């Protein structure tokens, strides 16, 4: 997209830019003229107002102000992502462990139980069922 703005004077350009930015009532100071280049207005930063970068201009070719806008957040960005925690029973864990045992990985399963500080599945605290299920899943058990 291209927008062309034609102004007959620098003052007209600055007045247009201030109107566009909604700053027509804001007090401003002017930077000194350097080397024949018109003065660039210095506008104080107003919280919440859009900011356009200062674009130096020459008398022969004034530049149009650049305005950036932030698009509103989409509903997907504001919506909470539903989460749920899977709950497992001792029976669920036993069925998953049996598939590992049937594939000849009984020694790995016994080592896993030792890592959880228990000698057998019935000794595993219910609070650690989810953690145990996650490890079984990484070992390839369907759970």
């Amino acid at each position: 997209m291209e927008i062309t703005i034609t102004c007959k004077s620098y003052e007209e350009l600055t007045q247009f830019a201030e109107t566009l930015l909604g700053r027509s009532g804001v007090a401003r100071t002017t930077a000194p003229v350097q080397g024949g280049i018109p003065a660039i207005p210095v506008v104080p930063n107003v919280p919440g107002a859009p900011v356009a970068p200062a674009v130096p201009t020459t008398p022969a070719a004034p530049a149009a102000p650049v305005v950036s806008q932030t698009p509103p957040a989409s509903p997907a960005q504001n919506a909470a992502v539903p989460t749920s925690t899977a709950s497992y029973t001792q029976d669920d864990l036993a069925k998953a462990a049996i598939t590992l045992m049937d594939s000849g990985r009984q020694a790995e399963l016994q080592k896993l139980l030792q890592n959880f500080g228990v000698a057998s599945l019935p000794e595993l605290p219910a609070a650690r069922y989810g953690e145990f299920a996650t490890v079984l899943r990484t070992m390839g058990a369907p759970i």
Side-chain angles (χ1 to χ4, degrees):
M1 172 164 83
E2 184 177 317
I3 299 174
T4 305
I5 300 171
T6 305
C7 297
K8 295 180 181 178
S9 69
Y10 178 73
E11 288 75 26
E12 187 179 340
L13 174 65
T14 56
Q15 183 180 16
F16 172 76
E18 289 173 350
T19 303
L20 184 66
L21 295 174
R23 296 182 181 170
S24 58
V26 177
R28 64 180 189 147
T29 59
T30 304
V33 175
Q34 296 179 3
I37 298 175
I40 299 171
V42 179
V43 180
N45 189 10
V46 178
V51 178
V55 180
T57 60
T58 62
V66 177
V67 179
S68 64
Q69 293 181 343
T70 304
S74 70
Q77 291 171 330
N78 294 333
V81 177
T83 59
S84 64
T85 304
S87 59
Y88 300 97
T89 64
Q90 188 178 32
D91 191 45
D92 295 332
L93 299 177
K95 288 177 185 176
I98 288 172
T99 61
L100 291 176
M101 290 174 58
D102 288 346
S103 65
R105 299 174 70 184
Q106 186 172 357
E108 290 177 57
L109 187 58
Q110 287 175 341
K111 186 172 181 173
L112 175 62
L113 288 166
Q114 289 174 356
N115 289 342
F116 276 81
V118 295
S120 65
L121 190 56
E123 296 174 16
L124 184 69
R128 299 195 70 191
Y129 283 2
E131 184 182 354
F132 192 81
T134 301
V135 177
L136 287 176
R137 191 176 302 110
T138 61
M139 293 174 69
I143 186 166

